[in-house]
Amino acid sequence: MKVHLLKPEDPLWSNILSSIRHDFYHLPGYVSLEAERIGGVPRAFLARDGQNSLFMPLVLRPLPLEGAWGDDILDATSPYGYPAPLFTIPGEQSGDAADNFARCALEALASKMRDLKVICAFVRLHPLLDSRQNILANYGEIVHNGRTVYIDLAGDESELWRQTRGAYRRDMAKLKERGVSAFLDAHCSRLNEFVDIYHKTMQQVGAEQRYFFSKEYFAKLKDALGQKLVLGYARRATEESETKFAPDEKIAAAGLFTECCSIVQYHLSGSDPDSPDKDATKLILHLVRSWAKERGNRLFHLGGGLGAKQDSLFFFKSGFSKLTADFYTWRVIFEREIYDAVTKQAQKTASPAPSAANFFPAYRI
């Protein structure tokens, strides 16, 4: 078995993705951007044995503590989103042979992490891609975080429309009567307006500071994803074309969407709290759903609620589909003795809230 720890500029990173069904979370540009945002180093673990492979993007970070462990102790985390481990194992292999490769690859991962002094890893799995969590569970803890909503785009337009909650269909009809329309901006030319709306939304819902991505971050996201990123927005229609705007015309709602390997992701969105068109996001999702289907995509993943909870955001998304998928995280400790000692040290200086009881790694509460 050959083992690699890839840097984003290594052509092997892009080459391996060209042969594996993946999502935009696995792209070297996106992982690099996330590493910059959270203060880490972008890497991808790759284990290969013939046609079998395991690929996993990670951000390696220094520990947030000072002490006897030195500056070279690290931990690992997934980039934001669903950058699951990707196993490629030809279908003709027997179950035992496939499981044996997966076990050997994970043992190689653990060995590599120990060599790098990485004490643990927090990995988000992908609700729509098989991460072989039955095997992962043997090397760490699999935690069920909640459910996410997705749309199967195989049905015809009338079937997709029937899946839409009746109240939503009526809301969209009223919006159109008021002259509100949804548009797609393939070049994200109105990205700055989206960021303003997004920040207003985060303020309105009282989001944690980590969700306030900067304008610079969004500009780099656009550069990293290129044509895989599109902007959807809704506004009052005018007599002019969708590329010409009245001086006082404002966007009521907007969202960023990605397209990768037949999966469309509803990434981030916001609604202008000052707009009278409060339901405009529904028009955007309806438009993106049709656009995604027309382009031959298989799945439109809307995601879950805040923190994967079944909250009002989850309820909103479930108005477009009754289909849900499980969202899991994988929490693995490579150096138990050091992990426990670092956690004990952190607990001496912090008083974690009861809600943080299941936080991982515990020393980052």
Side-chain angles (χ1 to χ4, degrees), residues 81 86 110 120-121 167 220 284 312 337:
L86 300 175
C120 65
K220 290 181 177 180
I284 299 172
S312 59
E337 183 177 350

Side-chain angles (χ1 to χ4, degrees), residues 281-300:
T281 299
K282 295 170 184 174
L283 284 178
I284 299 172
L285 292 177
H286 177 59
L287 174 64
V288 172
R289 180 173 57 183
S290 297
W291 168 85
K293 178 177 175 57
E294 288 173 2
R295 290 174 62 85
N297 292 288
R298 293 161 53 187
L299 300 168
F300 181 14

Side-chain angles (χ1 to χ4, degrees), residues 195-268:
V195 177
D196 290 338
I197 290 175
Y198 174 77
H199 284 166
K200 286 182 180 180
T201 302
M202 293 300 100
Q203 291 168 357
Q204 186 180 43
V205 301
E208 297 177 26
Q209 191 59 39
R210 61 193 175 106
Y211 291 109
F212 284 79
F213 305 108
S214 67
K215 283 191 175 183
E216 180 183 14
Y217 170 84
F218 282 110
K220 290 181 177 180
L221 179 67
K222 175 184 174 182
D223 291 340
L225 299 187
Q227 295 181 346
K228 290 182 172 63
L229 183 71
V230 298
L231 173 65
Y233 64 92
R235 63 173 175 84
R236 294 292 180 105
T238 67
E239 294 181 356
E240 299 184 58
S241 74
E242 65 190 64
T243 57
K244 298 179 182 179
F245 310 105
D248 59 346
E249 181 264 328
K250 292 184 179 180
I251 293 175
L256 290 177
F257 302 85
T258 63
E259 181 185 37
C260 185
C261 293
S262 75
I263 300 173
V264 172
Q265 290 280 358
Y266 179 20
H267 188 45
L268 297 168

Side-chain angles (χ1 to χ4, degrees), residues 25-340:
Y25 312 106
H26 299 91
L27 298 174
Y30 180 74
V31 180
S32 296
L33 179 58
E34 276 297 286
E36 178 184 343
R37 184 179 70 86
I38 65 177
V41 177
R43 292 291 185 267
F45 174 81
L46 174 63
R48 304 177 81 177
D49 184 6
Q51 293 181 294
N52 299 328
S53 66
L54 165 61
F55 175 89
M56 183 187 308
L58 294 167
V59 177
L60 307 184
R61 304 176 295 178
L63 269 60
L65 300 168
E66 296 180 0
W69 303 111
D71 297 332
D72 56 348
I73 301 297
L74 306 169
D75 63 14
T77 187
S78 292
Y80 178 77
Y82 307 108
L86 300 175
F87 287 94
T88 301
I89 302 175
E92 64 269 15
Q93 289 197 18
S94 68
D96 289 344
D99 288 349
N100 183 60
F101 166 76
R103 283 191 292 269
C104 291
L106 290 173
E107 288 170 1
L109 169 69
S111 177
K112 189 67 173 179
M113 293 298 103
R114 292 188 186 104
D115 289 344
L116 296 170
K117 297 185 179 180
V118 176
I119 65 173
C120 65
F122 175 76
V123 179
R124 300 174 180 89
L125 306 188
H126 196 298
L128 303 180
L129 296 176
D130 180 15
S131 298
R132 294 184 176 261
Q133 55 248 39
N134 60 317
I135 301 296
L136 295 179
N138 295 324
Y139 294 86
E141 182 184 11
I142 295 290
V143 176
H144 183 259
N145 297 89
R147 300 186 68 79
T148 64
V149 180
Y150 72 96
I151 300 170
D152 183 350
L153 298 171
D156 58 29
E157 285 288 346
S158 61
E159 173 58 28
L160 295 178
W161 184 243
R162 282 194 297 271
Q163 291 182 32
T164 308
R165 190 173 290 146
Y168 285 17
R169 296 199 295 265
R170 293 189 291 273
D171 290 339
M172 285 187 274
K174 292 177 182 177
L175 285 165
K176 291 181 178 180
E177 288 175 1
R178 297 202 302 268
V180 182
S181 297
F183 303 93
L184 283 179
D185 176 5
H187 303 290
C188 297
S189 57
R190 308 195 75 171
L191 187 61
N192 285 338
E193 292 169 84
F194 160 77
V195 177
D196 290 338
I197 290 175
Y198 174 77
H199 284 166
K200 286 182 180 180
T201 302
M202 293 300 100
Q203 291 168 357
Q204 186 180 43
V205 301
E208 297 177 26
Q209 191 59 39
R210 61 193 175 106
Y211 291 109
F212 284 79
F213 305 108
S214 67
K215 283 191 175 183
E216 180 183 14
Y217 170 84
F218 282 110
K220 290 181 177 180
L221 179 67
K222 175 184 174 182
D223 291 340
L225 299 187
Q227 295 181 346
K228 290 182 172 63
L229 183 71
V230 298
L231 173 65
Y233 64 92
R235 63 173 175 84
R236 294 292 180 105
T238 67
E239 294 181 356
E240 299 184 58
S241 74
E242 65 190 64
T243 57
K244 298 179 182 179
F245 310 105
D248 59 346
E249 181 264 328
K250 292 184 179 180
I251 293 175
L256 290 177
F257 302 85
T258 63
E259 181 185 37
C260 185
C261 293
S262 75
I263 300 173
V264 172
Q265 290 280 358
Y266 179 20
H267 188 45
L268 297 168
S269 71
S271 300
D272 187 345
D274 300 322
S275 172
D277 304 315
K278 303 297 183 185
D279 296 316
T281 299
K282 295 170 184 174
L283 284 178
I284 299 172
L285 292 177
H286 177 59
L287 174 64
V288 172
R289 180 173 57 183
S290 297
W291 168 85
K293 178 177 175 57
E294 288 173 2
R295 290 174 62 85
N297 292 288
R298 293 161 53 187
L299 300 168
F300 181 14
H301 189 227
L302 302 182
L306 185 62
K309 297 177 182 177
Q310 292 196 5
D311 56 8
S312 59
L313 179 58
F314 179 90
F315 177 79
F316 169 75
K317 293 175 179 179
S318 65
F320 288 89
S321 175
K322 294 182 174 62
L323 299 176
T324 61
D326 291 301
F327 169 47
Y328 296 96
T329 54
W330 182 46
R331 304 160 184 212
V332 55
I333 298 174
F334 304 114
E335 295 284 6
R336 168 60 70 176
E337 183 177 350
I338 299 177
Y339 178 88
D340 289 344

